[in-house]
Amino acid sequence: MTVSEEIATLCTAAKAASRELRGFSTAEKNAALEAVAAALEASRAAIGAANAADVEAARAAGLAPALVDRLTLTDARFADMVAGVRQVAKLPDPVGETIWKRDRPSGVVIEKAREPFGVVAVVFESRPNVFVDTAALCLKTSNAIVLRGGKEALASNKALAAAVRTGLARAGFPAAAVQLVTSTDHAGVAELVRHPEWVDVAIPRGGERLIRAMCEAALVPVLKHYKGVCHVYVDDKADLAMALAILDNAKTQRPSACNAAECLLVQEDLAPLFLPMVRAWAADKGVTLHEGPDCDWSREFLALELNVGVVADVAAAIAHVNAHGSHHSDCIVTMDKARADLFLRDVDSAAVYWNASTRFTDGAEFGMGAEIGISTDKLHARGPMGLEELTTYKYRVVGDGAVRG
């Protein structure tokens, strides 16, 4: 079977399953998620063996230790993954929710209500737990899902897919609602996003190169962020101890995350006092600083490296962030409310912060319970994407023989 034939087979089956999913109640979906969690637990040995084979092959192929680590399903990660499925079952179901309702003078009643997209395509790299996380979120919102993972995790993803589909079948749900593309041909990524008759929206979970390739090929909407070039601007009215603590958390708590700080901006009058503190901190934490002509302002390091710049004032900081940032997450540290309000208003990013770390840009931290990704788009979703962002809406219009005059 060619990759085109595989994509056609999987997507048409998912499309049919998506129509069936609309008929299940919230209680039935929650029971199905519990069945999926139980099936994963029952398949722990098979999943572990498949993952061990993937990890061994990755090491033999010379993959970087960080990639091997992301690929590895430790006991703790497996437990968290299963717990995540059960947590999704406890979250409010947005499907069918009334956004607003209006009685019109014409006699019709108009209701704007949430409904599923239909089929969601997710392309991801390395981390097999993404398969289960995204499947659970889509099932909760009555969406079918077609997943395509990296070739390095193929055995793991096959084992996870088998367990998830077993759980769905036991709950009386269509197993075809969760599909895995097994072809590792790169053409499969492009093929998956070129069929709006099958796929309603696509979400990439990976590096900038993957995301750009998907967007260039796509004929369906793509919810994404290309990279996370996030800033911390320290104003001359900042509490310096607070500023250093925020910078430390934003850079070092998890430097490989897309919401980690990649650039520090310091107000010029403060620089002679604060930059020596930053250099001492960097030496202590093993952070490489890039200053002056050494800076590539648009670079996403995803490591213990940081660009450092000096700016005249908050207006210059805002201009720098808007010119060089990725519209992801950016922070001002200041005790001056007027300057903070200016930053919060004029920085064109999905999440803007005043005296708080950029690391808070996360579905769980935002109270969403879970997320399928983070978007820097302005349509249809922006920032962390949870269950509500996995729905669209329709207008339900009810009359009593109403006609338009």
Side-chain angles (χ1 to χ4, degrees):
M1 183 184 292
T2 67
V3 63
S4 295
E5 291 169 338
E6 182 187 12
I7 295 295
T9 299
L10 298 180
C11 288
T12 52
K15 193 71 173 179
S18 73
R19 297 188 179 102
E20 288 187 60
L21 290 177
R22 291 171 178 263
F24 291 99
S25 68
T26 299
E28 289 170 327
K29 289 188 289 185
N30 292 344
L33 289 170
E34 175 55 41
V36 166
L40 287 166
E41 289 173 330
S43 303
R44 177 67 180 100
I47 294 168
N51 184 247
D54 280 336
V55 170
E56 183 179 352
R59 286 181 177 140
L63 263 67
L67 291 177
V68 173
D69 178 66
R70 286 202 290 270
L71 176 61
T72 304
L73 266 180
T74 63
D75 288 341
R77 289 174 183 173
F78 184 86
D80 287 345
M81 181 179 69
V82 174
V85 175
R86 292 191 167 112
Q87 179 61 34
V88 170
K90 297 176 183 177
L91 296 174
D93 183 358
V95 176
E97 174 190 344
T98 298
I99 300 171
W100 55 251
K101 185 176 181 179
R102 295 173 184 166
D103 296 321
R104 301 297 298 149
S106 61
V108 300
V109 178
I110 305 173
E111 184 179 75
K112 183 179 183 180
R114 296 191 187 280
E115 70 160 23
F117 278 113
V119 176
V120 178
V122 176
V123 179
F124 63 102
E125 298 173 334
S126 300
R127 294 183 296 161
N129 60 292
V130 170
F131 182 101
V132 174
D133 295 344
T134 55
L137 290 165
C138 285
L139 290 167
K140 179 74 176 201
T141 48
S142 303
N143 289 299
I145 186 168
V146 182
L147 294 123
R148 197 272 193 186
K151 64 181 180 180
E152 68 281 355
L154 184 58
S156 302
N157 290 334
K158 284 182 176 180
L160 291 167
V164 170
R165 289 162 68 91
T166 295
L168 288 177
R170 287 176 179 167
F173 273 55
V178 177
Q179 300 283 1
L180 172 67
V181 178
T182 58
S183 171
T184 58
D185 190 328
H186 288 300
V189 174
E191 187 70 18
L192 188 57
V193 296
R194 293 187 63 80
H195 293 281
E197 69 273 23
W198 299 328
V199 174
D200 296 285
V201 67
I203 302 174
R205 299 282 303 270
E208 184 178 4
R209 186 168 65 175
L210 164 70
I211 297 168
R212 291 197 179 277
M214 280 184 66
C215 289
E216 288 169 7
L219 296 177
V220 303
V222 180
L223 300 178
K224 83 286 181 188
H225 71 270
Y226 289 117
K227 57 185 177 180
V229 181
C230 304
H231 295 74
V232 174
Y233 166 60
V234 180
D235 182 60
D236 62 321
K237 295 291 184 70
D239 177 310
L240 298 191
M242 175 193 291
L244 205 57
I246 288 172
L247 175 64
D248 180 60
N249 183 262
K251 179 72 260 184
T252 70
Q253 197 243 358
R254 192 181 171 198
S256 63
C258 62
N259 55 16
E262 304 288 22
C263 180
L264 167 68
L265 299 176
V266 181
Q267 196 276 334
E268 61 184 5
D269 294 333
L270 180 66
L273 174 62
F274 189 59
L275 285 183
M277 297 170 62
V278 171
R279 294 179 187 121
W281 160 80
D284 180 58
K285 292 298 183 80
V287 177
T288 299
L289 300 180
H290 302 274
E291 302 183 58
D294 190 29
C295 292
D296 176 356
W297 298 114
S298 63
R299 183 174 175 184
E300 182 184 36
F301 295 107
L302 301 176
L304 289 175
E305 297 184 59
L306 183 71
N307 281 324
V308 179
V310 175
V311 293
D313 52 24
V314 66
I318 291 167
H320 186 284
V321 171
N322 287 339
H324 301 288
S326 59
H327 311 292
H328 193 296
S329 304
D330 300 289
C331 161
I332 180 173
V333 185
T334 185
M335 303 308 291
D336 187 306
K337 184 178 185 302
R339 294 179 187 180
D341 286 343
L342 189 66
F343 188 93
L344 297 176
R345 186 193 71 187
D346 289 352
V347 167
D348 184 20
S349 294
V352 286
Y353 292 85
W354 175 17
N355 292 347
S357 169
T358 58
R359 287 283 292 124
F360 282 104
T361 306
D362 174 84
E365 293 292 342
F366 276 30
M368 296 174 176
E371 71 173 42
I372 199 165
I374 295 172
S375 170
T376 54
D377 292 335
K378 297 184 180 180
L379 297 173
H380 121 95
R382 198 176 196 201
M385 296 181 289
L387 294 175
E388 287 186 1
E389 286 70 32
L390 280 171
T391 63
T392 181
Y393 55 84
K394 67 168 55 169
Y395 294 99
R396 300 170 179 167
V397 185
V398 179
D400 184 17
V403 295
R404 182 170 176 176

